[in-house]
Amino acid sequence: MDKYIVIRNIGEGAFGKVWLAKKKSDNDLVAIKVMTKNADNIRSFNREVQTLKKLGHGCPYVVHMQEYFKDEKFFYIVMDYIAGLTLGGSAFPKDKWIHLAKNLIDTVRCIHRVGITHGDIKPENIMITENSEIKLLDFGQGCIYNADEEICETGGTPYYLSPEKIKYLDVYEMPFKASVASDIWALATVLYLMAYGQRPYSASNRRELYSKIIENDPTFFRGDGEKEITNYTIYGHILRILFDRDIDRRIKNFNEIDISFFDTK
C-alpha cells in the first residue's frame, strides 16, 4: 500500500471493504478492495483476480483491475475509481430504462462471450456513472467456464437467485451452481426492479421467498401500475423473454435477444 494515499471508505461487502485512494505517482484516484487474509476470503480473492484478468479491457462496462497484491494480513485489488452511484431500487423513466437495459444486456453478453459468469448480479454491484453509463462491479462470485463445462460453484443474493440455484441448494445443501442462465435470471430481476420500482418476488422470510421464485411467475404491469394483460409494452416483452422459471426454456445467451428491438420503442 506504500504507493497509495487512502482517502475514505466508499463501500463494504461480505468479503471486505472498498477504499478510495490516490496514487502517489500521479494523483489518479483508484478504488482498492481490501479483504482480511483468511481461508474464507482466499477463494473470493482468487476468483475476482482471475476473472478480472481474463476480462482485461475487453468489456467496456466492466470495472478494470489495475493491480493486485497481498501482505501478511490483507488481500488487495486495485481498480479504476468509478464516480457515480449504485443502481438503487427506484423505477426509471422509459427512455432511461431502455438506455441502461441495453448497457446491461451488452455487458453481461460480453462477459459471457469472454467465458465469465458473474454469479451475483444485483443493484449493489451495478454503478451508474456521471455519464449515465453502467459499470458492473464485484466479481468475487465470478466463474471462468468453457463450452464443455459451464457450471461452477458460487454464492448469490436471495432475491436474485434463479429457481435452479434454489433447487440445488434444497436438494444438495451445497453451494449454488453458477451458470449463464442464472446470470440471465438475476439480470431480469434487476431490470424488473428498474422498470417497476419493486422486486418481482417479496416475502417475510427466505423460505417463503424461495417457494415463490420456484413456483410463481412474476406479475407484469403497465406504466400506470395496472396489471398488464398483453405483451405489447417494452417491459413486458423483454422481461417475459428473460423470466422463464424452466432453465431448459430460458434463453441460453443474450445473442438470442435482438437489441435493435429497443430502438423501435
Side-chain angles (χ1 to χ4, degrees), residues 10-218:
I10 56 174
E12 187 168 350
F15 295 102
K17 295 182 179 181
V18 181
W19 298 86
L20 176 64
K22 182 170 62 175
K23 291 182 181 178
K24 292 179 180 178
S25 59
D26 56 16
N27 289 327
D28 280 355
L29 294 176
V30 294
I32 304 178
K33 186 173 185 178
V34 182
M35 292 173 277
T36 303
K37 195 174 181 182
N38 59 40
D40 291 335
N41 286 340
I42 289 174
R43 187 179 188 184
S44 177
F45 174 76
N46 287 336
R47 277 189 169 185
E48 188 152 16
V49 167
Q50 290 167 8
T51 53
L52 290 176
K53 283 174 68 175
K54 187 173 177 64
L55 285 167
H57 290 279
C59 297
Y61 297 128
V62 172
V63 66
H64 173 243
M65 180 178 68
Q66 298 188 12
E67 69 167 336
Y68 62 94
F69 53 94
K70 57 188 176 182
D71 59 25
E72 291 183 359
K73 293 184 178 180
F74 299 102
F75 298 115
Y76 304 90
I77 301 176
V78 181
M79 297 165 285
D80 292 346
Y81 170 64
I82 309 299
L85 299 170
T86 53
L87 192 61
S90 300
F92 289 92
K94 178 181 173 183
D95 288 347
K96 189 164 186 178
W97 186 90
I98 291 173
H99 170 72
L100 295 174
K102 288 172 68 176
N103 278 184
L104 284 165
I105 289 173
D106 278 342
T107 299
V108 178
R109 188 208 313 262
C110 183
I111 69 170
H112 289 168
R113 186 170 62 242
V114 172
I116 300 291
T117 57
H118 186 277
D120 196 20
I121 296 173
K122 59 183 178 181
E124 295 85 350
N125 288 337
I126 299 167
M127 183 79 76
I128 302 179
T129 72
E130 294 176 337
N131 297 322
S132 295
E133 304 294 346
I134 68 99
K135 288 286 186 179
L136 186 60
L137 315 173
D138 197 346
F139 281 77
Q141 298 292 333
C143 287
I144 298 174
Y145 70 97
N146 57 55
D148 298 322
E149 186 180 1
E150 68 166 27
I151 295 177
C152 60
E153 291 182 354
T154 186
T157 301
Y159 285 108
Y160 303 91
L161 294 181
S162 61
E164 64 272 12
K165 276 190 174 184
I166 294 169
K167 289 176 182 177
Y168 188 85
L169 176 66
D170 282 347
V171 172
Y172 297 106
E173 296 183 351
M174 292 171 61
F176 307 118
K177 293 289 184 177
S179 69
V180 168
S182 293
D183 271 359
I184 289 171
W185 177 277
L187 181 56
T189 306
V190 170
L191 295 178
Y192 187 105
L193 180 66
M194 291 166 57
Y196 302 128
Q198 64 186 56
R199 298 187 188 97
Y201 300 97
S202 60
S204 58
N205 59 69
R206 187 170 298 190
R207 176 51 52 196
E208 180 186 357
L209 174 66
Y210 287 173
S211 177
K212 287 183 176 181
I213 292 173
I214 291 172
E215 298 174 4
N216 301 324
D217 292 324

